[in-house]
Amino acid sequence: MSRCVIVGSGAREHALAYGLAKSAEVIVTPGNDGIAAHGLTCVSTPATELDADLFVVGPEAPLVAGLADQLRAQGKTVVGPGAVGAQLEGSKSYMKEFFTAAGIPTAAYGSFREETSAFEFLSTMKPPYVIKTDGLAAGKGVLVTSDLDEARRDVQEKLSGAAFGDAGTTVVIEEGLVGEECSFHVLSDGTNTIALAPSQDFKRVGDGDSGANTGGMGAYAPMNKMTGEQVFDIMRDIVTPTMHELKRRGIDFRGVLYAGVMLTATGPKLLEYNVRFGDPETEVLVPLLGDKLFDLLLRVGEGCLDGATASWSGAGAAVTVVLASEGYPQNPRTGDVIEGLGPDGQLATPNEHVVVFHAGTKSDDQGRFVTNGGRVLAVTGFGDDLATARERAYQGAGLITFRGSVRRGDIALVATQGET
Ligand code: AMP
Ligand code: GLY
């Protein structure tokens, strides 16, 4: 049996391990107690000291730091771009410059290191104003506001380093785009691409998209209101030019391009690229791939995706609901006992249509799971259609309790109301 190493420690890596384990022996480094309880091997040995047929790097930070380059230099087969390709996510100003060079439709923008020119540019923009930190900020470095004073204050805080340290000392100010947002994941072997099911995630902490931005409170796939024509347009206007531009720059991008796309009245526009699987999108994309994940990712790493397919039609639907700690995202509490899980970290009352992916959990000395981070669990339900998947996800989530847990009640609600 082939062996696969997954780098990371969250619910995304749990979902990847769960999907890859259908056809390979998996090792997660470092993983977490909940992943290990699920029968998936977790080790603390660094990836560079492990042997496997395939290495999949989950989070962006090690990619930006060059882990994929290091592994490739050791002759290993890797899913994830090298440090240069990872700049597409690691630096928003690099990303926007790349979009312009490639002719990709995106929001108008300016990039600034000092206040006067930033304020001048702001005064030429119409609301909503969008202010971003240049570097990595775990999905929390973006302010969207129609209040000019708030926008100016945010620019000040980011430029001074008060808000995000060095990651924030260059700001990108963007035109606010209006429309439905889509998480569009594409596998790339450097030349060929295939799209996974379009999905949507829910970034705000509260129902109705209220409250603070988070890493993501839930997701569903496929995005049923997306048309075949829109998928075609994204491939033609965004993905194809991206591949040409990567080639032109000599970047052999073998990994996941996760495009954050706004479906505007004038066509899809690219908000951002991530250079890895989305979290929590992975928790709904993996179940739709059945046992195809290992073969697809191996082809990505080996550069031979040509002829592969990842069709999602007929694969059903999945919905994931994130359970977060009290105080998330500002001040998450940890150490609360989680009720409702069995020794394997899955529902104590098993349901074959529900999987519990562990993000911030650990086992205490009495063998109970306790909270150990902001996002604690992602509870995924699947079924033939979104409404069934949603019902199962919420049923599962309802069986799990811990003090002050934060969860949204409206994940995939509008999408299922639209379902016929
Ligand atoms: P990002 O970290 O770039 O993904 O931004 C986080 C969220 O802010 C996105 O998912 C959007 O909901 C919102 N956002 C980012 N850029 C824009 C924009 N130009 N117009 C409107 N909303 C945006
Ligand atoms: N779902 C947001 C992210 O993975 O960045």
Side-chain angles (χ1 to χ4, degrees):
M1 201 179 207
S2 305
R3 175 190 275 198
C4 177
V5 167
I6 299 146
V7 178
S9 62
R12 165 182 51 210
E13 287 73 27
H14 189 172
L16 289 170
Y18 163 84
L20 289 165
K22 295 188 192 296
S23 14
E25 175 196 348
V26 302
I27 299 175
V28 191
T29 170
N32 64 44
D33 289 347
I35 301 176
H38 203 186
L40 302 158
T41 306
C42 295
V43 300
S44 54
T45 317
T48 48
E49 291 170 27
L50 293 167
D51 260 330
D53 304 289
L54 181 67
F55 288 74
V56 182
V57 182
E60 61 277 18
L63 291 169
V64 171
L67 178 60
D69 299 307
Q70 256 180 297
L71 292 167
R72 288 194 178 101
Q74 297 177 324
K76 289 165 175 163
T77 303
V78 187
V79 174
V84 176
Q87 281 305 298
L88 264 185
E89 175 168 0
S91 162
K92 292 235 192 277
S93 44
Y94 177 88
M95 171 164 84
K96 293 295 283 190
E97 182 270 316
F98 184 102
F99 294 175
T100 310
I104 295 169
T106 185
Y109 79 105
S111 174
F112 306 93
R113 294 191 65 84
E114 55 84 34
E115 213 172 277
T116 319
S117 48
F119 282 4
E120 239 166 62
F121 185 74
L122 256 185
S123 64
T124 68
M125 307 287 285
K126 284 192 299 240
Y129 310 100
V130 180
I131 321 290
K132 302 186 173 184
T133 53
D134 183 58
L136 292 178
K140 296 166 199 155
V142 179
L143 175 76
V144 182
T145 180
S146 291
D147 177 346
L148 183 59
D149 286 336
E150 191 186 3
R152 290 164 70 111
R153 268 199 309 280
D154 192 62
V155 166
Q156 257 168 351
E157 275 171 24
K158 281 174 176 154
L159 283 177
S160 71
F164 291 98
D166 284 347
T169 53
T170 298
V171 294
V172 169
I173 300 176
E174 278 186 17
E175 166 197 9
L177 297 177
V178 180
E180 192 82 44
E181 232 177 300
C182 167
S183 297
F184 197 85
H185 286 69
V186 171
L187 302 179
S188 161
D189 69 357
T191 306
N192 307 289
T193 53
I194 56 175
L196 303 182
S199 57
Q200 274 196 308
D201 75 341
F202 295 73
K203 291 204 169 71
R204 301 293 185 122
V205 72
D207 282 15
D209 292 333
S210 60
N213 249 319
T214 71
M217 295 300 291
Y220 72 90
M223 182 175 168
N224 50 351
K225 64 195 126 184
M226 178 121 164
T227 64
E229 192 187 344
Q230 284 171 320
V231 172
F232 180 86
D233 288 350
I234 292 174
M235 292 304 282
R236 184 194 54 199
D237 299 341
I238 296 177
V239 177
T240 302
T242 299
M243 296 312 291
H244 287 153
E245 185 63 18
L246 285 168
K247 271 258 177 328
R248 199 180 67 76
R249 294 182 186 218
I251 300 171
D252 183 19
F253 194 105
R254 298 184 185 199
V256 181
L257 276 168
Y258 151 17
V261 177
M262 191 74 95
L263 303 173
T264 74
T266 54
K269 294 198 175 170
L270 186 57
L271 289 177
E272 61 159 359
Y273 265 132
N274 298 294
V275 297
R276 38 128 192 124
F277 280 105
D279 190 357
E281 288 91 332
T282 308
E283 291 92 299
V284 291
L285 291 175
V286 165
L288 299 189
L289 287 169
D291 60 4
K292 285 188 270 188
L293 185 63
F294 180 74
D295 177 56
L296 285 170
L297 294 187
L298 188 64
R299 284 162 172 260
V300 166
E302 289 181 339
C304 59
L305 256 187
D306 200 16
T309 55
S311 164
W312 58 87
S313 90
V319 174
T320 197
V321 178
V322 169
L323 311 186
S325 292
E326 182 176 345
Y328 181 73
Q330 290 87 1
N331 286 305
R333 259 169 62 92
T334 57
D336 291 312
V337 175
I338 304 168
E339 311 280 356
L341 299 178
D344 63 354
Q346 297 301 299
L347 292 177
T349 320
N351 180 334
E352 58 175 327
H353 301 293
V354 177
V355 191
V356 181
F357 296 118
H358 286 240
T361 68
K362 67 175 185 188
S363 304
D364 70 3
D365 48 15
Q366 296 169 53
R368 301 172 304 187
F369 287 103
V370 297
T371 62
N372 189 38
R375 289 189 290 180
V376 177
L377 299 164
V379 184
T380 297
F382 25 86
D384 289 341
D385 53 49
L386 269 181
T388 311
R390 178 172 196 274
E391 195 181 309
R392 289 172 174 161
Y394 272 105
Q395 242 166 25
L399 296 170
I400 302 171
T401 51
F402 53 90
R403 194 189 120 160
S405 88
V406 174
R407 61 189 75 182
R408 280 183 64 158
D410 63 347
I411 305 299
L413 179 62
V414 174
T416 51
Q417 284 167 342
E419 211 169 48
T420 47

